[in-house]
Every structure is written in structure tokens, then in C-alpha cells.
Amino acid sequence: MKNSFNFIFVIFLVLGAMIALISPSFAKDKKANNSVSHLVVDNYIKVATLGQTDQLGYIFADDFKQTLSINSKVENQSKTNVIEFLKSNKGLISNCETTYHFIENNKNCAIAKVIMKYENFTKIEYVTLCKKKQEWKIRECNSNCVIG
């Protein structure tokens, strides 16, 4: 009887340990994985086009700025303004096809070209990332909308 109890206890202990290792709530921190530049760009696209704002606070550098060029008009936005805008669009899924590729990607800085094709226009963004203290962050985003 005692051996049966010990055996059942060990089985539950092993199962519990396996669940803890496999379960995302135990194994992962809520913080974004910024150890690789392309993961930050992936998270940025999820925020910008899929409204997934969970990682929003982790992808932008403190000195982040955005420049938008639309029909010969140029607007500059601060990190605070961009975050407020993206948070207000939480859950909003953009009807666009998104692709990106790196123009430059070295050990400390990277520039990615993100292309978002909507039905009537295309938005092209040049996203500049820098690595500081082993973490990649977006420092600058320059956007241009092309009608047609």
C-alpha cells in the first residue's frame, strides 16, 4: 500500500514538473524577446497590423521617433504619441499584406524595409533598430504612403 502511494506521488510529481516546463504561463515571461532583430520587427508588425499590443512597451527605444510622409506632408511623432495611437487600435486587424526584409543587419544596428499593401495604397516603412545591453529596440520609423 505504501509503495502504491509513493508510486502515485512520483507520477504526479513528474506530471506537474512536465506541465510547468511546457506551459507558457510558467516557462515564459510576458516581456518580449528582443535578443534578435527580426523578432522585434515581427512584434512591431503584429502591433501595427494585427493590434496585438501586449509587447508594445518593449519594442521601442526611449528616444524613438516616427516620421510620416503623406502627400508631400511630413509629420513627426514621439514615442508617447505612437504608443497611444497603437493602444487605441488594440485588436484592430488591418486588411493588408505585409512583408519585410533587412536592408542592413549587423551586430549593433539594423534597417528593415516593411511593406504594407492595402487595397488602395501601399505604406512603406524603414525601421531602424539598435542593440543596447543585449536588447534590440526600434529607434526610428520613417513611413511613406504611396497611393495606387
Side-chain angles (χ1 to χ4, degrees):
M1 174 88 160
K2 189 174 181 181
N3 286 341
S4 296
F5 177 75
N6 287 341
F7 179 75
I8 292 171
F9 178 75
V10 169
I11 293 295
F12 278 114
L13 185 64
V14 169
L15 285 174
M18 288 174 59
I19 290 170
L21 290 173
I22 295 170
S23 174
S25 62
F26 287 94
K28 283 189 178 178
D29 189 356
K30 295 281 184 190
K31 187 177 177 185
N33 181 351
N34 291 5
S35 63
V36 183
S37 59
H38 75 84
L39 294 176
V40 177
V41 176
D42 288 341
N43 282 331
Y44 172 70
I45 290 171
K46 288 177 187 175
V47 168
T49 64
L50 300 176
Q52 296 179 4
T53 59
D54 297 343
Q55 308 301 324
L56 187 56
Y58 301 108
I59 61 174
F60 297 115
D62 292 337
D63 59 348
F64 171 81
K65 66 179 181 174
Q66 182 178 47
T67 303
L68 301 165
S69 175
I70 304 171
N71 296 332
S72 302
K73 183 180 176 187
V74 176
E75 291 184 23
N76 294 308
Q77 301 292 327
S78 68
K79 177 181 176 178
T80 303
N81 291 348
V82 171
I83 287 177
E84 285 176 8
F85 174 76
L86 292 170
K87 281 184 179 179
S88 72
N89 290 312
K90 180 177 183 170
L92 181 67
I93 298 173
S94 296
N95 187 17
C96 67
E97 182 182 316
T98 306
T99 59
Y100 76 90
H101 66 276
F102 281 95
I103 297 168
E104 175 66 33
N105 194 359
N106 62 47
K107 66 179 186 172
N108 294 316
C109 291
I111 300 172
K113 181 178 183 180
V114 179
I115 302 168
M116 299 174 203
K117 289 186 179 185
Y118 294 85
E119 186 176 332
N120 298 320
F121 69 96
T122 300
K123 183 178 181 184
I124 299 170
E125 296 188 329
Y126 293 94
V127 179
T128 303
L129 304 96
C130 292
K131 189 175 183 181
K132 187 176 182 181
K133 296 182 182 177
Q134 305 304 314
E135 237 183 10
W136 287 90
K137 299 272 185 162
I138 299 173
R139 293 202 59 215
E140 194 171 338
C141 186
N142 297 305
S143 304
N144 185 27
C145 289
V146 180
I147 308 298

